[in-house]
Amino acid sequence: MGDDGQSRGISCAVYPGSFDPITFGHVNIVKRALKIFDRIIVAVAINTSKHGTFTIEERVDMMEDVFRGDANVEVASFSGLLVDYVRTVGARAILRGIRTVTDFDYEFQMALANKSLDPDVEQVFMMTEGKYLYHSSSIIKEIVSLGGAVHEMLPPIVEKRLSEKLRGRGTGS
Ligand code: PNS
């Protein structure tokens, strides 16, 4: 441990995303990142040009439920530039998960853009665990809308709300 004060400070990362809705893959990234950071802010990006399945309030509500037992996880939403939000909340890093090479291309572009916008903000990428490789919110939504089971992909509260939203009823579980 150095004596510069930094090593004793609280390290906080912002985990941004659409989270429409949050999946077990996202939750896994947060849990693993808590071994590296003291505090994670899971932040839903408000994108006025992108109409999601859930409203921002619904997404935040479900995420608060999912992370209720995690004192070091905060759920929030933000608009505008991510790097500005990171600075506003006093975080040191942006956290993102990567599943595939396609993800990597997209993440690499965003990372370069963020770095040029604010060179002081670091970006940390965690590889997904194998079992979450094919879990994307859009694939999960298609499975639910066609009546498939997604117990292994979504927290129960999210599965129920998604089923109600897409099929007009709960899962019965
Ligand atoms: O879950 P997603 O949709 O892949 O998340 C993308 C997100 C929200 C991280 C990205 O769109 C973002 O950072 N939006 C905030 C606006 C911004 O800062 N854009 C410039 C950098 S790409």
Side-chain angles (χ1 to χ4, degrees):
M1 282 273 184
D3 198 25
D4 56 5
Q6 290 246 321
S7 52
R8 293 192 303 271
I10 298 286
S11 62
C12 173
V14 171
Y15 181 36
S18 301
F19 303 113
D20 187 37
I22 190 156
T23 69
F24 275 140
H26 297 129
V27 175
N28 178 259
I29 294 287
V30 173
K31 302 270 182 190
R32 287 163 55 208
L34 282 170
K35 295 177 192 161
I36 302 169
F37 297 100
D38 299 315
R39 187 165 158 254
I40 309 280
I41 302 174
V42 189
V44 184
I46 301 170
N47 184 343
T48 45
S49 64
K50 205 166 145 187
H51 188 71
T53 302
F54 290 99
T55 66
I56 300 296
E57 292 73 24
E58 287 171 329
R59 292 178 222 179
V60 167
D61 190 51
M62 284 186 281
M63 288 157 69
E64 281 176 344
D65 202 279
V66 168
F67 292 113
R68 185 145 289 141
D70 296 289
N72 297 330
V73 178
E74 185 186 325
V75 175
S77 60
F78 73 98
S79 54
L81 284 177
L82 173 59
V83 289
D84 290 343
Y85 177 71
V86 169
R87 205 173 261 278
T88 305
V89 296
R92 288 184 186 170
I94 294 168
L95 170 70
R96 292 282 287 173
I98 292 190
R99 291 163 304 188
T100 59
V101 175
T102 312
D103 278 356
F104 178 81
D105 277 348
Y106 172 57
E107 295 300 327
F108 195 46
Q109 279 185 5
M110 282 203 296
L112 290 177
N114 286 331
K115 201 70 185 163
S116 76
L117 288 165
D118 190 338
D120 290 335
V121 173
E122 293 303 337
Q123 297 169 83
V124 174
F125 298 91
M126 293 187 72
M127 299 307 299
T128 189
E129 280 185 17
K131 60 184 169 184
Y132 303 114
L133 194 63
Y134 61 94
H135 291 196
S136 79
S137 297
S138 51
I139 287 178
I140 291 172
K141 281 188 264 195
E142 184 169 330
I143 295 172
V144 169
S145 68
L146 297 173
V150 290
H151 304 300
E152 290 176 3
M153 305 178 197
L154 293 179
I157 178 71
V158 180
E159 185 185 0
K160 181 173 180 291
R161 300 271 290 268
L162 186 59
S163 188
E164 285 167 358
K165 178 83 75 176
L166 297 180
R167 306 181 65 214
R169 61 182 176 82
T171 55
S173 57

